[in-house]
Amino acid sequence: MTNPAIHFTHAVSRRPGASVTAGLRAQDRGAPDLERMQAAHDAYVATLRSTGAEVIVLDALEDYPDALFVEDTALCLPGGAVMMRPGAASRMGEVAQMRPTLAGLFEDLRDIEGPGHIEGGDILFTGREVLVGLSARTDAEGVAELRKILDEWGHPLREVQTPDGVLHFKTDCSLLDAETILSTKLLDASGCFEGYRVLHLPDGEEAAANAIRFNDVILMPDGFPKTAEMLTQEGFNVRPIDNTDCALLDGGMSCLSLRFNI
Ligand code: CIR
């Protein structure tokens, strides 16, 4: 049976532009290398396409350095899509840039109108529920507005907490299959995954937490051998992708696409 949280017919991503060097970051560890980032982005898109999905690749937006992190602009679910309202002021305008693409794909397209804020990186759809982590980018008003929409579509929403100092909820966790979550020990200690099977990131490899299950593969950042080995032993088909440059901007596998079934 197909599960709409792990099986996808489509994805949307956006190429990085030269302005990506000005992208937001919690700590400055140097500027990303555009050429290497583009190559990694190409590999990411090719891996999504290798599963048979159609992947729409949008042009870079130089006015928005973080625009390649398309996940934060929208939530795509069975039933419809919701345009987000980012908590980062410099990213607010990305939403209007994404909207026409989703308007052409989803019959029911809604908007978070505010005053609250919510970013897609704080949202994990597991198939049975939608977990939303409160964070520096996502507040209770934003979650409440999303809840009203999801009530209509029949998706239960559970408000949880993104750990302090962690950018997004999904910075620290990923859905591997309908029952299984990959999580840092820190996030799992909050108890938010009760009722799921949880695999913990090996010590020292917490930065590999942001992976994605996309059809029959798991895309994960390259350079985390213990995590790759653990997932392979668990029977997952692991595809490491170079995340060196996105990581400098606190981005990972999930941020680079919107994934959905239409
Ligand atoms: C930001 O700070 O907004 C970007 N530099 C990174 C966004 C990563 N997005 C995500 O985790 N969904």
Side-chain angles (χ1 to χ4, degrees), residues 24 66 69 71-72 91 121 137 167-168 249-251 254-255:
L24 296 174
D66 286 295
F69 302 120
E71 171 176 75
D72 295 316
R91 302 201 57 193
R137 301 285 183 88
L167 175 61
H168 286 130
L249 303 178
D250 309 322
S254 74
C255 329

